[in-house]
Amino acid sequence: MIVGIFKNTILFVLCLVILSGCFTREGTIVGGKVHGSSDSVSGSISGDYRKFTGSATQDRKVKKGENWIFSFDDKTKQGTIIAYVVDSNDNTILEFNSGEGEKNIKVPKDDT
């Protein structure tokens, strides 16, 4: 019975790892969480924490000619958060600071 519960727990954890493969986080979080949403229409990164030093990324597959709209909102007491849109070669396509409203990108080629 315990072996069955253990197997089911391991299977559940593996499924979560496979399903969450598009979101990564590096760094240190104190007193909270940072998480990503991989919704098929829109993705997001959000968090609630006392201190976060690091980065969080959300991968999205894009097709040539698509129009993407980005928005960025934060409530930071101290420090700076900057959002970047980068291509699969780590070239910066867009740098985005909080409070700048929405920004649009027309995708020049199929990419991630």
Side-chain angles (χ1 to χ4, degrees):
M1 180 69 164
I2 293 175
V3 173
I5 292 171
F6 182 72
K7 282 183 181 178
N8 288 339
T9 302
I10 294 296
L11 182 59
F12 178 72
V13 170
L14 288 174
C15 286
L16 287 177
V17 169
I18 291 168
L19 292 174
S20 65
C22 294
F23 173 74
T24 58
R25 182 188 70 234
E26 295 179 5
T28 304
I29 300 171
V30 177
K33 295 180 180 181
V34 173
H35 46 85
S37 164
S38 59
D39 182 293
S40 62
V41 176
S42 65
S44 67
I45 298 173
S46 59
D48 187 13
Y49 45 83
R50 268 186 320 176
K51 181 179 179 181
F52 174 46
T53 303
S55 64
T57 62
Q58 179 75 48
D59 292 344
R60 307 298 294 177
K61 290 189 185 286
V62 296
K63 301 248 184 235
K64 180 180 180 176
E66 290 179 335
N67 290 307
W68 282 75
I69 301 171
F70 295 88
S71 63
F72 177 34
D73 182 34
D74 75 329
K75 295 176 185 132
T76 304
K77 292 181 182 176
Q78 182 180 357
T80 304
I81 299 176
I82 300 172
Y84 296 94
V85 176
V86 296
D87 66 14
S88 60
N89 296 315
D90 284 333
N91 297 313
T92 300
I93 306 300
L94 174 70
E95 181 177 327
F96 204 16
N97 296 296
S98 181
E100 291 183 337
E102 293 182 342
K103 291 192 176 185
N104 299 319
I105 293 177
K106 184 167 184 165
V107 178
K109 63 178 183 171
D110 292 358
D111 206 348
T112 301

